[in-house]
Amino acid sequence: MMFTYINSEIKVMSFEERLNSQMEACDMKAAEIHRKLGITKSTVSKWVNGIGKPGGENAVKLAKILRCNVSWLMEGKGSPNKNVELELGPDLRGQAPLISWVQAGKWKEIDMESLRQTDATFYQHTANVSEEAFALRVKGDSMTSFTGGKSIPEGSVIIVDPNMQAEHGKVVVARLEESDEATLKQLVIDGGAKYLKPFNNSYPTMPINGNCTIIGVVKQVIQDF
């Protein structure tokens, strides 16, 4: 018995074709990927247009939000739905660059878009914040409560939104005129007077007037174990 073999070219989808196909299947726009991964719009545009593709952690996160196999998405290996993690966990809204307390004190001088292009450390978060949000690692124990209630221990990472209105009771990052570094305290407004209050009662509550600039409002506290 004889067999005739007909050579046929099997077209392999490129990364951008797989990406666009899965985005369409999930009804997900580039802007949503930009928001959820906390990366620049130009970076997502490059992926969509085949100019580049993600690597490492970003590749895994991209496959996760698109609900597909990362090996298939990145290399075309396997099938889209094989070994997919369907449980996505918390709704990650983005990632914020970790800056120093001195940088926080001068946050208006920082180009956040340029900062995102550097090798700065970024923290994933679930907070509903603006694109200008940044992260700070807490120093000292002035916001550690030893009597119960709210507490922000030393070493925690806070997500701060500089575009949120500071109100009574909010935890804020502020800078006093005599200092180059920002500080972390609770804003208290009582009868028109304003104070910066620590959670640790061994530290004093500071009255403020024109000598203080409120830099941003804390929206989330992240603790590493």
Side-chain angles (χ1 to χ4, degrees), residues 104-139:
K106 302 177 180 178
W107 75 271
K108 289 185 179 180
E109 301 173 17
I110 297 178
D111 183 346
M112 299 301 289
E113 187 67 20
S114 297
L115 186 61
R116 289 180 181 276
Q117 304 294 339
T118 69
D119 57 356
T121 300
F122 287 81
Y123 271 83
Q124 293 283 340
H125 62 78
T126 59
N128 184 17
V129 292
S130 68
E131 293 184 2
E132 287 73 35
F134 55 84
L136 289 166
R137 188 173 294 280
V138 177
K139 300 191 303 181

Side-chain angles (χ1 to χ4, degrees), residues 3-193:
F3 294 90
T4 301
Y5 294 90
I6 301 176
N7 292 327
S8 60
E9 182 180 351
I10 300 176
K11 186 179 184 301
V12 178
M13 294 175 68
S14 63
F15 164 71
E16 66 269 21
E17 288 173 330
R18 294 190 297 273
L19 173 60
N20 282 281
S21 173
Q22 197 63 23
M23 286 172 62
E24 184 177 352
C26 295
D27 193 25
M28 184 171 294
K29 306 299 182 184
E32 191 170 357
I33 294 177
H34 148 72
R35 179 178 65 81
K36 288 192 172 186
L37 291 188
I39 57 178
T40 63
K41 294 178 181 178
S42 61
T43 297
V44 179
S45 178
K46 288 178 181 178
W47 295 350
V48 170
N49 292 292
I51 300 174
K53 63 180 183 179
E57 190 178 1
N58 274 340
V60 175
K61 291 174 181 175
L62 179 62
K64 200 169 186 180
I65 64 174
L66 289 176
R67 295 179 178 269
C68 66
N69 174 10
V70 64
S71 295
W72 171 82
L73 180 63
M74 300 308 301
E75 307 296 338
K77 298 177 181 178
S79 63
N81 300 318
K82 187 177 181 181
N83 299 326
V84 177
E85 247 187 275
L86 294 179
E87 180 55 53
L88 294 182
D91 181 17
L92 295 176
R93 294 178 179 270
Q95 55 185 0
L98 183 69
I99 65 174
S100 72
W101 289 89
V102 172
Q103 286 177 306
K106 302 177 180 178
W107 75 271
K108 289 185 179 180
E109 301 173 17
I110 297 178
D111 183 346
M112 299 301 289
E113 187 67 20
S114 297
L115 186 61
R116 289 180 181 276
Q117 304 294 339
T118 69
D119 57 356
T121 300
F122 287 81
Y123 271 83
Q124 293 283 340
H125 62 78
T126 59
N128 184 17
V129 292
S130 68
E131 293 184 2
E132 287 73 35
F134 55 84
L136 289 166
R137 188 173 294 280
V138 177
K139 300 191 303 181
D141 63 354
S142 69
M143 293 302 284
T144 302
S145 174
F146 297 101
T147 58
K150 293 181 179 179
S151 183
I152 307 178
E154 182 174 15
S156 301
V157 172
I158 55 174
I159 305 299
V160 184
D161 191 347
N163 294 328
M164 184 175 178
Q165 182 66 36
E167 300 174 347
H168 169 73
K170 296 291 185 181
V171 176
V172 299
V173 171
R175 184 183 63 81
L176 298 172
E177 279 185 354
E178 65 270 17
S179 176
D180 290 331
E181 291 191 5
T183 186
L184 178 67
K185 296 292 183 291
Q186 183 181 37
L187 177 65
V188 175
I189 303 174
D190 184 11

